[in-house]
């Protein structure tokens, strides 16, 4: 069954279409800001989810301390929009990136992360280009086995290397503990902090992340800020992680059923180019709100294959359904714009300004 709002969106914008509920967006911003405030840590939201200066400014107006970006291109979009406190939580390498980082420093207070000597060796070029000192945090691996130094001894050594580099300032540590690994993260941090202090340094910035860890905000003694991103929209992964409810999910993909060639199957007009192939470890590729027992089982580029064998209700060809994505961040990056609604009213569109900024 197609809701009146879904019919209106399909008529005015077509499907598939990303739609955000601004009432839910505002509630999510307020709720997580209050959570960070209560825990005594600053909120530095990651914009990788929404990629919108408009929404970033809303987060800052609600009390956030600057923002987090993953790539230089995202930071450039945000700085050009007047946002002036930016952490880039990613290793930056190469002369081209150093020139851009130096230019960014003329517009915004920049902090960057590093986890190896090659990255640190290149950063003075950016500082020299800007004529300003560049703050650098050491990224620490506390269990995710992604980026980050693996031992406190390595963190201490890299901090000393940063402090000894012309134009660089050792600013502190950046961590992304696993949801159950905060005791181990505390041990890592305590040892690293003691080590840098023994060499006359200190960690003014201790940044933890992300949305799946919102239930752990404030658990790391010494943390100064937290970097949640997905919370502004939420998704099926965050509901599964227990940090959001379905009522907190602010972005839906509106999709039309275009085929029902068999009683137990169907086709959506949202395939891998809309919902993406990232399952987030979940069964299927999203929750269909009108038919929660249905499964989006697999994709072609523009086909979402429905498995209706477990569904008590079956959609008809032409029905417009609403889908909560598994991983909303990658879905948003597929969109040039999202449609904004309040209740049953369409209030306009919002450009995904930092979409595709992979460099």
């Amino acid at each position: 069954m197609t809701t009146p709002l879904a019919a209106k969106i399909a008529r005015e914008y077509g499907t598939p279409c990303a739609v955000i509920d601004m009432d839910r967006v505002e509630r999510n911003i307020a709720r997580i800001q209050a959570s960070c405030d209560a825990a005594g840590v600053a909120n530095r939201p990651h914009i990788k989810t929404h990629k919108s200066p408009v929404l970033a400014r809303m987060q800052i107006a609600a009390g956030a301390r600057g923002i987090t970006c993953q790539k230089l291109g995202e930071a450039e979009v945000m700085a050009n929009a007047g946002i002036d406190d930016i952490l880039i939580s990613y290793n930056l390498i190469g002369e081209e990136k150093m020139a851009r980082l130096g230019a960014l420093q003329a517009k915004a207070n920049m902090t960057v992360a590093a986890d190896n000597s090659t990255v640190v060796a290149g950063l003075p070029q950016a500082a020299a280009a800007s004529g300003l000192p560049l703050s650098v945090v050491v990224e620490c691996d506390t269990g995710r086995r992604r980026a980050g130094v693996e031992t406190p001894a390595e963190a201490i050594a890299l901090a000393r290397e940063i402090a000894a580099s012309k134009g660089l300032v050792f600013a502190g540590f950046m961590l992304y503990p696993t949801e159950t690994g905060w005791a181990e993260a505390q041990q890592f941090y305590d040892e690293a902090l003691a080590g840098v202090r023994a060499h006359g340094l200190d960690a003014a910035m201790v940044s933890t992340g992300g949305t799946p860890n919102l239930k752990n905000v404030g658990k790391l003694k010494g943390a100064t800020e937290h970097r949640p991103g997905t919370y502004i929209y939420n998704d099926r992964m965050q509901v599964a992680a227990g940090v959001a409810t379905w009522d907190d999910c602010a972005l839906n993909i509106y999709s039309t059923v275009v085929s029902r060639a068999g009683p137990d199957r169907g086709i959506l007009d949202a395939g891998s180019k809309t919902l993406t192939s990232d399952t987030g470890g979940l069964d299927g590729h999203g929750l269909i709100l009108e038919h929660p027992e249905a499964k989006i089982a697999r994709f072609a580029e523009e086909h979402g294959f429905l498995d209706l064998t477990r569904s008590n209700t079956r959609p008809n060809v032409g029905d417009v359904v609403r889908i909560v994505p598994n991983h909303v961040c990658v879905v948003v990056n597929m969109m040039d714009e999202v449609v904004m609604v309040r209740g049953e009213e369409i209030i306009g569109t919002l450009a995904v300004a930092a979409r595709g900024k992979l460099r």
Side-chain angles (χ1 to χ4, degrees), residues 21-41:
D21 182 321
M22 290 302 295
D23 292 329
R24 292 186 180 190
V25 165
E26 290 170 359
R27 286 201 304 268
N28 290 340
I29 290 173
R31 177 170 58 91
I32 300 312
Q33 185 62 50
S35 179
C36 289
D37 290 346
V41 298

Side-chain angles (χ1 to χ4, degrees), residues 81-305:
I83 295 170
D84 62 2
D85 188 343
I86 301 174
L87 165 66
I88 298 180
S89 54
Y90 200 85
N91 286 327
L92 300 176
I93 294 176
E95 292 186 7
E96 182 264 349
K97 287 185 171 60
M98 292 307 101
R100 291 164 60 197
L101 179 58
L104 260 180
Q105 278 199 279
K107 300 177 181 179
N109 176 27
M110 299 299 302
T111 303
V112 298
D115 78 348
N116 64 77
S117 296
T118 300
V119 171
V120 171
L123 293 174
Q125 180 182 337
S130 69
L132 298 167
L134 176 62
S135 296
V136 186
V137 292
V138 174
E139 181 174 6
C140 304
D141 173 25
T142 50
R144 290 192 184 270
R145 311 295 290 175
R146 194 167 68 174
V149 295
E150 291 192 335
T151 67
E154 290 175 287
I156 296 161
L158 198 61
R160 295 181 67 193
E161 193 174 323
I162 292 164
S165 299
K166 185 177 181 180
L168 304 187
V169 176
F170 169 65
F173 299 106
M174 186 181 81
L175 307 90
Y176 190 4
T178 66
E179 286 84 331
T180 58
W182 284 64
E184 293 80 1
Q186 187 74 62
Q187 184 177 354
F188 187 115
Y189 166 67
D190 288 346
E191 188 175 335
L193 180 64
V196 297
R197 284 180 171 172
H199 292 284
L201 303 173
D202 207 351
M205 180 177 181
V206 181
S207 183
T208 59
T211 297
N213 271 321
L214 283 170
K215 53 193 168 187
N216 294 315
V217 168
K219 283 188 178 179
L220 187 83
K221 185 179 179 182
T224 63
E225 65 178 41
H226 193 69
R227 310 181 314 277
T230 313
Y231 79 95
I232 192 167
Y233 291 154
N234 289 305
D235 55 22
R236 199 170 165 223
M237 289 169 59
Q238 306 317 311
V239 173
V243 295
T245 68
W246 296 118
D247 286 340
D248 298 322
C249 293
L251 183 145
N252 293 160
I253 295 295
Y254 284 52
S255 176
T256 301
V257 178
V258 295
S259 175
R260 281 292 314 283
D264 292 334
R265 64 188 182 95
I267 297 293
L268 298 172
D269 64 0
S272 64
K273 287 183 176 178
T274 300
L275 291 169
T276 84
S277 58
D278 188 352
T279 64
L282 301 173
D283 187 30
H285 294 272
L287 175 78
I288 300 175
L289 293 173
E290 290 79 8
H291 305 281
E293 299 90 2
K295 179 180 177 181
I296 305 174
R298 59 191 179 93
F299 289 139
E301 291 179 62
E302 306 293 0
H303 297 71
F305 290 75

Side-chain angles (χ1 to χ4, degrees), residues 327-358:
H327 188 183
V328 71
C329 307
V330 290
V331 169
V332 172
N333 193 53
M334 307 298 282
M335 310 294 164
D336 290 326
E337 65 180 17
V338 295
V339 175
M340 298 180 291
V341 301
R342 287 190 188 276
E344 297 299 308
E345 181 184 359
I346 299 171
I347 61 173
T349 59
L350 180 70
V352 184
R355 175 186 184 256
K357 301 298 184 183
L358 305 179

Side-chain angles (χ1 to χ4, degrees), residues 43-77:
N43 179 23
R44 185 183 290 277
H46 208 313
I47 63 85
K48 70 184 179 67
T49 302
H50 58 71
K51 298 180 179 288
S52 163
V54 173
L55 297 184
R57 284 195 293 265
M58 287 173 59
Q59 291 170 310
I60 292 169
R65 175 193 292 171
I67 60 169
T68 306
C69 297
Q70 200 78 331
K71 294 298 182 76
L72 263 172
E74 295 174 335
E76 287 165 338
V77 170

